Amino acid sequence: MNRSCVNCLKTMVVSLNFMCWLCGGFVVGFGQFQMIHSKYASLVTTFWPIYPANTLVVTGTIVMCVCYMGVLGGMRESRCMLITFFILLVILMLVELAMALVFLIYSREIDSFFEKDLMQSLEIYRQSSPEGNKTIKDDFDAVQHLFRCCGVHGQADWKGNIPISCCTKDPCNIPFHTNWQEGCVDKLKNWFASNYLSTGAGVVTMFIIQFICLSISIPLFCHFKRRGLGYQ
């Protein structure tokens, strides 16, 4: 392989990995933004490891580390770094595919766990003292106010002890006020689904870039290997 082809491949590998590194940084920043502004994680404890914000931060951080290794390996023409990059990139791509399959296969089970977590959070809210479990209370109130819903399946879930956050319009401090009739479980499921859709689109985009990086890096690595063994 002549030097001009090697330089072209090297430039493409470095550029694509740098682009992937930037995408990883954007994903981490977006995940941090969701962590700050989304207040629903305490209501769905089963989903904490795959909560959209957590998934974005973890995935983006790993992608940045792997792509940084690819950038350095391409710039320094280091076989060792490229081998490490290949192994880590293949593992990362397999993990991304595995996560996609888990969401696809266990979508119904995820829905049942989602509903169970919400009911458990509602019971904790309902049975807590006025000063107890502030995080769950604040999160549930935020959900009911933002999504204009009440309870998990409806206001009957509160068994008469309906919080003010279910009120449809002011004044809400009067004995008889109107509450939202629709439950929060379906609306919150749709919100999570849309977040997972955007998360999935970002992961798929990074997967495509990673696959291209891997495909282009292979001939470059083969050239370095031959050169290292004394072949031109």
Side-chain angles (χ1 to χ4, degrees), residues 40 43-44 111 114-119 121-122 125 139-158 162-163 165-167 179-193:
Y40 317 132
L43 306 181
V44 283
D111 285 347
F114 193 97
E115 186 174 345
K116 180 181 177 182
D117 281 352
L118 284 179
M119 285 299 300
S121 299
L122 186 145
Y125 186 131
D139 287 0
F140 221 115
D141 287 337
V143 168
Q144 293 185 140
H145 177 74
L146 179 62
F147 292 102
R148 299 184 176 184
C149 56
C150 188
V152 178
H153 303 99
Q155 61 178 342
D157 292 334
W158 292 105
I162 304 174
S165 56
C166 283
C167 179
N179 298 312
W180 303 111
Q181 299 299 312
E182 188 176 355
C184 296
V185 62
D186 291 331
K187 292 191 174 184
L188 207 51
K189 280 181 184 178
N190 293 334
W191 181 85
F192 266 84

Side-chain angles (χ1 to χ4, degrees), residues 172-184:
C172 294
N173 56 353
I174 58 177
F176 299 100
H177 56 260
T178 306
N179 298 312
W180 303 111
Q181 299 299 312
E182 188 176 355
C184 296

Side-chain angles (χ1 to χ4, degrees), residues 48-128:
W48 189 88
I50 53 175
Y51 192 71
N54 299 332
T55 304
L56 289 172
V57 171
V58 173
T59 303
T61 302
I62 296 174
V63 167
M64 288 183 70
C65 295
V66 174
C67 291
Y68 182 72
M69 184 73 68
V71 171
L72 287 182
M75 292 180 65
R76 297 184 178 182
E77 301 185 5
S78 170
R79 286 177 55 199
C80 181
M81 296 184 74
L82 284 176
I83 290 173
T84 305
F85 166 70
F86 290 152
I87 295 173
L88 293 177
L89 187 59
V90 169
I91 293 174
L92 178 61
M93 293 170 70
L94 290 176
V95 170
E96 290 170 353
L97 287 176
M99 289 178 60
L101 290 175
V102 167
F103 282 114
L104 180 63
I105 296 173
Y106 294 102
S107 58
R108 294 184 180 179
E109 285 78 1
I110 289 175
D111 285 347
S112 64
F113 282 123
F114 193 97
E115 186 174 345
K116 180 181 177 182
D117 281 352
L118 284 179
M119 285 299 300
Q120 183 177 356
S121 299
L122 186 145
E123 288 300 320
I124 293 174
Y125 186 131
R126 196 173 63 83
Q127 297 175 10
S128 297

